[in-house]
Amino acid sequence: MTGLANWLISGLSGLGGWVILLGLSIVAALWLDVDSARRHILLARWRVGVWVPAALHLPILAAALKVPFDEGLVSIFALLSLVGVALSAGVAVGFATRFRGMMGCVKGHPPYPNKYKLCPVCARETVPGMPGYVPNLGVNRTLAGTAKANLGRTSAGTPRRPRIKVDAWLVTEDGNLYQLNMRETTIGRNAECDIRLWDTSTSRSHAKIAEEKGVYTIYDLGSVVGTYINGKRVRRPEPIKQGDIITFGAGTKMVFTLDLDFMATPAQQEMG
């Protein structure tokens, strides 16, 4: 039997070193439970992932309770116990790193950065006309006001060498037109983007629209709050068509059109 196995079974004056390893696993699991509850980031896979490794301590516990096992098995049990504490600690550290500076929503919406102060999904649901709007939620009026103030805030990006334009536009709620480029149009808060967004819930490089032979495809570039087509989140490249309502982040909404006369029809009423 290895020295590690001996220590785990009879160390600490006969109590057994397994107590320390099991205790570390439990501390890591309890910390994750408390921290996730405090920040409303109640994701079951993380909580399960930190508690399950604690079961790897059970074999060495059985050996410590004098259940007869072959010495080779006891050595394996000792290694399993080390793996268990390493996994529990690793999941706890991973959770702390992944969700550093983030909060969850009491309604179960995805976690969001602390700097937003308000849940972006809740904000979107409080603004009439936005995809996902639910009337009479009774949420804080400040929440709706924050999102409303950002609606339609866009501008052209930093001037660059002229690009070839195509007959396709994004139209904001207040009627501003942004003509798309051939091949690629970038969208985000970065001044280098072709269409610059000012809504703080959007990312610096938020999305792009690619054009190929008259077919237009939108890509979300890993934004935190997301890009939506007619209320559905873009999780992979998605084709867009005439009249689609595209929402960037929590508060910037535009209509995609290939025909400016379309914007004079009742279809534009869907935006507001």
Side-chain angles (χ1 to χ4, degrees):
M1 189 182 304
T2 66
L4 173 63
N6 279 325
W7 179 79
L8 289 176
I9 292 174
S10 57
L12 299 179
S13 301
L15 180 61
W18 63 270
V19 173
I20 293 179
L21 297 189
L22 179 60
L24 290 174
S25 288
I26 292 175
V27 167
L30 289 176
W31 174 85
L32 191 149
D33 276 354
V34 171
D35 187 65
S36 63
R38 178 181 63 85
R39 294 191 285 157
H40 304 293
I41 306 177
L42 304 177
L43 300 178
R45 63 181 181 274
W46 287 93
R47 305 176 88 175
V48 170
V50 77
W51 278 107
V52 166
L56 295 178
H57 299 291
L58 294 179
I60 198 69
L61 171 59
L65 295 176
K66 308 307 180 183
V67 175
F69 289 108
D70 178 82
E71 289 190 2
L73 279 178
V74 173
S75 297
I76 294 174
F77 294 164
L79 292 177
L80 287 176
S81 190
L82 288 177
V83 170
V85 71
L87 287 176
S88 294
V91 172
V93 171
F95 178 86
T97 303
R98 170 66 180 82
F99 298 104
R100 180 181 180 184
M102 301 185 75
M103 286 291 294
C105 176
V106 294
K107 295 183 179 181
H109 295 144
Y112 58 91
N114 283 336
K115 64 181 181 180
Y116 292 159
K117 306 299 182 183
L118 304 168
C119 170
V121 178
C122 287
R124 187 168 63 252
E125 290 178 344
T126 63
V127 180
M130 293 191 70
Y133 169 65
V134 179
N136 301 321
L137 283 180
V139 298
N140 192 312
R141 289 181 178 271
T142 304
L143 193 67
T146 300
K148 190 74 173 179
N150 286 321
L151 285 177
R153 293 196 61 203
T154 57
S155 66
T158 300
R160 293 182 289 177
R161 187 171 64 182
R163 306 270 296 279
I164 299 175
K165 300 293 184 179
V166 293
D167 290 333
W169 294 264
L170 291 180
V171 186
T172 66
E173 286 189 311
D174 53 8
N176 288 331
L177 299 175
Y178 296 94
Q179 190 170 10
L180 303 185
N181 301 321
M182 181 179 287
R183 302 299 182 194
E184 182 177 283
T185 302
T186 56
I187 304 164
R189 288 193 293 112
N190 194 321
E192 298 298 319
C193 290
D194 299 309
I195 299 175
R196 189 176 186 187
L197 307 176
W198 295 89
D199 182 352
T200 55
S201 72
T202 58
S203 300
R204 292 179 61 80
S205 294
H206 193 98
K208 72 175 182 179
I209 297 177
E211 178 273 336
E212 184 175 0
K213 298 180 180 180
V215 176
Y216 298 86
T217 304
I218 191 165
Y219 296 74
D220 182 86
L221 302 179
S223 64
V224 174
V225 181
T227 303
Y228 299 80
I229 302 176
N230 301 324
K232 180 180 178 182
R233 186 160 187 169
V234 175
R235 301 189 181 278
R236 58 183 62 83
E238 295 281 357
I240 52 177
K241 62 184 185 300
Q242 175 73 28
D244 279 344
I245 299 175
I246 304 174
T247 306
F248 303 98
T252 301
K253 181 170 56 172
M254 305 183 198
V255 169
F256 172 74
T257 183
L258 302 170
D259 179 9
L260 292 182
D261 290 337
F262 169 82
M263 299 311 298
T265 71
Q268 73 184 78
Q269 300 304 317
E270 296 179 11
M271 290 191 64

